[in-house]
Amino acid sequence: MAPSSKPILVLVPGASQSPSHYEYLLHLLQSNGYGTLSALLPSTGYNTSRITAQDDANYIRSRMLLPVLDVEEHDVILITHSYSGMPGSAAAKGLGKSERASQKKKTSVLGQIFLAAMIPKGGDGKDVTAMFGGQMPPHIVVDEPGNMIRCPDPKPPLYQDIPEEMANVAVASCMNPCLSSWTTPCPPASWNETAYHGRCAFIRTIQDRCIPYHIQNMMINASEQEWILQDIDSGHSPQLSQPEKLADIILELVKHFETM
């Protein structure tokens, strides 16, 4: 297939959410002429096997990025949310524009957009919980025999600013992530690669109760990288509470990456 004039927007859901939680946002992006792709992470949903953080990264790379880049021959802009910022960025390692061009490849990951995302540097043996002082966030309960992490009431941390009826449906659609994906080492990120300099954006969610705004800023500062920063006055899931506003922010960033 000939390269498209517009990149495909690959959206990786957060740990307990599925593509259905992003359906309307994807529709808005498609309505502006951008193809989209989303898929459920291997670690999301009941799974007694030890799905690791690296397994998630491998899946994103092999099933969501490389098929679009190398088979369909489209450029990609990667959008990650919450937990998926970690495996998503790892999956994009070596796929930046300058690196792909040096390999005579016609397509690349043009940019990365992180939405209230976890952005550990990775590669140091630490797991996701290291970002929270070695402990799980207070809204999470560990189920070791079931290899799951549970959130008994997802509404306050994830959906506090969403109308009640929609929030109830969103909660009913949540799925428990594998514990092992949170307790195995984070693979090395790509947001600090030279090829992505100026091509990484972070959308901060100001009213977030899951990954609070100050924690987002701490992660950004700890990265010691320059980010394109955008703010949205929402909780953790603006794709449901403010989808039109979020789509506008994403489209602005996408068009910026396209011109680079």
Side-chain angles (χ1 to χ4, degrees):
M1 184 177 292
S4 170
S5 60
K6 289 188 175 183
I8 301 298
L9 310 185
V10 174
L11 188 153
V12 188
S16 63
Q17 304 194 67
S18 74
S20 67
H21 288 92
Y22 303 82
E23 201 167 62
Y24 184 55
L25 173 65
L26 294 173
H27 166 73
L28 293 173
L29 299 174
Q30 291 165 353
S31 297
N32 280 271
Y34 291 92
T36 63
L37 173 67
S38 188
L40 190 70
L41 284 170
S43 64
T44 299
Y46 180 71
N47 195 324
T48 54
S49 59
R50 278 183 57 84
I51 301 295
T52 66
Q54 184 67 63
D55 290 333
D56 277 340
N58 292 345
Y59 178 86
I60 296 166
R61 186 181 183 89
S62 65
R63 300 298 300 275
M64 301 179 74
L65 296 179
L66 290 180
V68 178
L69 294 170
D70 290 339
V71 180
E72 306 303 332
E73 296 188 310
H74 299 299
D75 288 319
V76 163
I77 290 176
L78 179 61
I79 305 168
T80 56
H81 181 208
S82 196
Y83 163 85
S84 73
M86 178 268 291
S89 184
K93 201 165 183 64
L95 301 180
K97 190 172 184 178
S98 60
E99 291 169 305
R100 295 274 289 180
S102 69
Q103 302 165 16
K104 309 300 182 186
K105 301 284 189 179
K106 295 182 290 185
T107 58
S108 65
V109 175
L110 299 180
Q112 301 184 50
I113 300 172
F114 298 82
L115 172 61
M118 298 181 185
I119 52 169
K121 186 176 182 180
D124 54 5
K126 296 179 180 178
D127 61 25
V128 165
T129 65
M131 302 179 60
F132 302 99
Q135 303 293 324
M136 288 289 180
H139 58 274
I140 286 178
V141 174
V142 173
D143 175 3
E144 290 192 19
N147 187 34
M148 285 185 288
I149 55 174
R150 301 178 182 275
C151 182
D153 186 5
K155 195 182 297 184
L158 299 181
Y159 308 121
Q160 92 270 11
D161 57 340
I162 297 170
E164 176 118 1
E165 186 174 356
M166 181 181 292
N168 290 338
V169 171
V171 167
S173 304
C174 284
M175 304 177 76
N176 293 312
C178 289
L179 172 63
S180 50
S181 64
W182 283 56
T183 56
T184 51
C186 299
S190 64
W191 42 254
N192 53 358
E193 290 187 329
T194 301
Y196 291 114
H197 182 73
R199 293 180 177 272
C200 289
F202 196 108
I203 303 173
R204 298 175 295 193
T205 42
I206 296 174
Q207 304 299 330
D208 203 318
R209 296 180 185 172
C210 180
I211 305 180
Y213 188 70
H214 73 279
I215 298 294
Q216 297 174 48
N217 284 322
M218 285 175 60
M219 291 190 294
I220 290 166
N221 293 335
S223 74
E224 299 182 334
Q225 299 292 309
E226 291 186 15
W227 296 80
I228 301 170
L229 298 176
Q230 293 275 7
D231 285 350
I232 185 167
D233 192 12
S234 76
H236 192 63
S237 300
Q239 80 277 12
L240 293 172
S241 63
Q242 298 185 43
E244 292 87 0
K245 175 64 175 175
L246 179 59
D248 286 344
I249 294 172
I250 290 173
L251 289 168
E252 178 184 338
L253 293 168
V254 165
K255 290 171 183 175
H256 171 70
F257 292 144
E258 285 183 278
T259 62
M260 295 181 67

